[in-house]
Amino acid sequence: MLPSVLTICLLITIVLNGLLAGLFFAFSIAIIPGFRRVDDGTYVRSFRAINTAILNPVFLLVFCLAPLSAVATAVVRL
């Protein structure tokens, strides 16, 4: 039996939002406490390096599609 459109939308929404939530959780648990231990110059250089590294197609795809998939799932559910 083929999965329904709603089931597929729910699966995509759960995975994408889970990935995004996991990234934010790991950042707040691991990266931010580490930043508290360094001086201001190191903080700025590190944050700029992270911002440069995170701007890639995979992150952009997850970041943009996570909320859009949630909206699409809500629309399909109606």
Side-chain angles (χ1 to χ4, degrees):
M1 183 169 132
L2 292 175
S4 69
V5 174
L6 179 59
T7 303
I8 293 170
C9 285
L10 281 171
L11 181 64
I12 291 170
T13 300
I14 290 168
V15 169
L16 289 175
N17 283 286
L19 286 170
L20 201 54
L23 174 71
F24 291 148
F25 178 74
F27 193 83
S28 65
I29 295 300
I31 306 300
I32 296 299
F35 278 156
R36 290 189 192 118
R37 297 183 179 112
V38 298
D39 62 282
D40 292 344
T42 303
Y43 173 81
V44 170
R45 284 190 303 278
S46 301
F47 218 103
R48 285 182 179 166
I50 290 171
N51 284 344
T52 301
I54 204 166
L55 294 178
N56 62 62
V58 175
F59 175 75
L60 181 63
L61 186 70
V62 172
F63 189 77
C64 291
L65 288 183
L68 291 177
S69 67
V71 170
T73 301
V75 168
V76 169
R77 176 70 174 100
L78 296 176

